[in-house]
Amino acid sequence: SQTIHQWPATLVQPVGSPLSLECTVEGTSNPNLYWYRQAAGRGLQLLFYSVGIGQISSEVPQNLSASRPQDRQFILSSKKLLLSDSGFYLCAWSGGLPSTSGVETQYFGPGTRLLVL
Amino acid sequence: GENVEQHPSTLSVQEGDSAVIKCTYSDSASNYFPWYKQELGKRPQLIIDIRSNVGEKKDQRIAVTLNKTAKHFSLHITETQPEDSAVYFCAASTNSGYSTLTFGKGTMLLVSP
């Protein structure tokens, strides 16, 4: 079965510091991968998605970037964090092989809670 | 692009009552509509989904209905229990090979014993 991991689980960072969040998926190959941000008490904002290695699409212009160096690894980065970057960061996957559900069904990782001070 | 509106933002019910959450979407090309449940501090969990070739789908106490003509879909929870308390999100997508979901803003459901 497929599993998705994120780390770290929680992170407290000062303003202006760099950021690297990692997401990995097991049990599937060539998945679509997504990064979302959820501010406290708010909805889900899609930040980036990727349909393959090295292929990144950005939904919201900001000081964040994403990379997919391996098929099942998705990284969210920032060179300099802002206070407004605080939130709950969720990675999700869909599709992949072997196919167990439609390509559109997304499954979320456990998330990383980021607090920028 | 797609826009999904969700109502109500908060819903309080007594245990055993039914709860209904409604969503509307703007893009007539959308053909996949999932519902997620998010408990406090946890990840969103898929609880039910429906595709545009189906009008209704049930899974035990939960059901989803879809009206393509009116472009709205609803989540129905019967015999609510305190453990149903959570934030529920609806979403819509077009199956274009990679599927970006557009989410509603969420409904906080509170079930009182």
Side-chain angles (χ1 to χ4, degrees):
Chain A
S1 65
Q2 297 88 352
T3 55
I4 178 169
H5 305 278
Q6 287 186 246
W7 62 87
T10 58
L11 192 59
V12 180
Q13 292 286 92
V15 169
S17 63
L19 174 74
S20 181
L21 303 182
E22 190 166 342
C23 169
T24 58
V25 181
E26 296 178 353
T28 184
S29 60
N30 197 31
N32 299 325
L33 297 173
Y34 310 83
W35 278 112
Y36 290 87
R37 176 169 61 200
Q38 187 174 36
R42 304 289 294 276
L44 294 155
Q45 179 187 33
L46 178 64
L47 301 175
F48 302 94
Y49 66 89
S50 171
V51 300
I53 296 174
Q55 301 179 62
I56 309 294
S57 295
S58 173
E59 288 292 300
V60 181
Q62 58 214 328
N63 67 321
L64 299 172
S65 62
S67 62
R68 186 171 177 173
Q70 301 180 42
D71 181 45
R72 289 170 288 182
Q73 184 185 33
F74 206 21
I75 297 172
L76 182 69
S77 303
S78 174
K79 292 182 179 179
K80 287 187 177 181
L81 284 169
L82 307 173
L83 286 173
S84 58
D85 291 324
S86 295
F88 191 37
Y89 287 82
L90 290 154
C91 181
W93 71 273
S94 72
L97 296 171
S99 175
T100 57
S101 60
V103 68
E104 64 275 79
T105 303
Q106 293 188 23
Y107 300 96
F108 287 88
T112 294
R113 200 163 300 281
L114 172 66
L115 179 61
V116 182
L117 299 175
Chain B
E2 176 67 281
N3 183 50
V4 177
E5 299 284 341
Q6 183 172 348
H7 300 280
S9 57
T10 305
L11 179 60
S12 295
V13 300
Q14 291 292 117
E15 183 176 2
D17 288 349
S18 294
V20 181
I21 302 170
K22 299 182 179 181
C23 290
T24 60
Y25 61 98
S26 60
D27 189 347
S28 58
S30 289
N31 56 10
Y32 174 67
F33 308 92
W35 286 89
Y36 289 83
K37 174 184 180 182
Q38 186 178 28
E39 297 177 350
L40 189 62
K42 301 287 184 64
R43 76 183 86 183
Q45 297 267 25
L46 178 71
I47 56 171
I48 195 167
D49 56 12
I50 192 168
R51 289 175 170 79
S52 58
N53 58 346
V54 176
E56 183 176 3
K57 184 177 179 180
K58 289 183 179 180
D59 183 2
Q60 299 183 346
R61 294 186 299 108
I62 61 173
V64 57
T65 58
L66 171 65
N67 183 325
K68 288 171 55 181
T69 302
K71 289 190 283 188
H72 67 70
F73 56 112
S74 301
L75 178 70
H76 305 253
I77 306 174
T78 59
E79 300 173 26
T80 54
Q81 302 166 3
E83 51 265 38
D84 293 329
S85 295
V87 178
Y88 291 80
F89 292 97
C90 65
S93 85
T94 56
N95 182 356
S96 55
Y98 51 83
S99 174
T100 58
L101 289 174
T102 301
F103 284 85
K105 294 186 183 300
T107 295
M108 179 175 288
L109 174 64
L110 302 171
V111 181
S112 304

